[in-house]
């Protein structure tokens, strides 16, 4: 479990995790864009996004945001 602090305009990206890895991101505050590159979702407080994390993904603060991020490894 990670806590993501994403001030407006801040962008973070990650490389691929192990095959079969999934992620769920829950927006706690603000507005964020998260997910696999090219397939991002826009989240506000209480919204969540599940996605396969075995490819590059990213996180962007659209309005000062805070989110919780679970990385779920297969096996």
């Amino acid at each position: 479990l990670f806590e993501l602090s994403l001030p407006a305009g801040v962008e973070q990206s990650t490389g691929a995790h192990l095959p079969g890895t999934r992620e769920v991101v829950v927006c706690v505050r603000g507005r964020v864009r998260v997910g696999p590159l090219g397939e991002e979702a826009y989240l506000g407080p209480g919204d969540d996004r599940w996605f396969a994390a075995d490819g590059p993904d990213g996180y962007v603060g659209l309005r000062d945001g805070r989110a919780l991020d679970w990385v779920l490894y297969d096996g």
Side-chain angles (χ1 to χ4, degrees):
L1 171 65
F2 298 92
E3 180 179 2
L4 302 173
S5 178
L6 297 164
V10 169
E11 186 169 344
Q12 297 177 9
S13 60
T14 64
H17 294 281
L18 297 171
T21 302
R22 301 209 24 98
E23 256 181 81
V24 60
V25 178
V26 177
C27 181
V28 177
R29 179 174 38 96
R31 187 149 172 82
V32 298
R33 185 177 71 220
V34 302
L37 298 182
E39 300 176 31
E40 298 92 347
Y42 294 84
L43 307 180
D47 293 337
D48 65 78
R49 170 81 157 118
W50 285 82
F51 55 91
D54 49 8
D57 54 64
Y59 319 90
V60 179
L62 302 173
R63 255 186 282 151
D64 289 347
R66 180 173 167 260
L68 299 176
D69 180 10
W70 284 264
V71 180
L72 308 165
Y73 294 97
D74 190 25

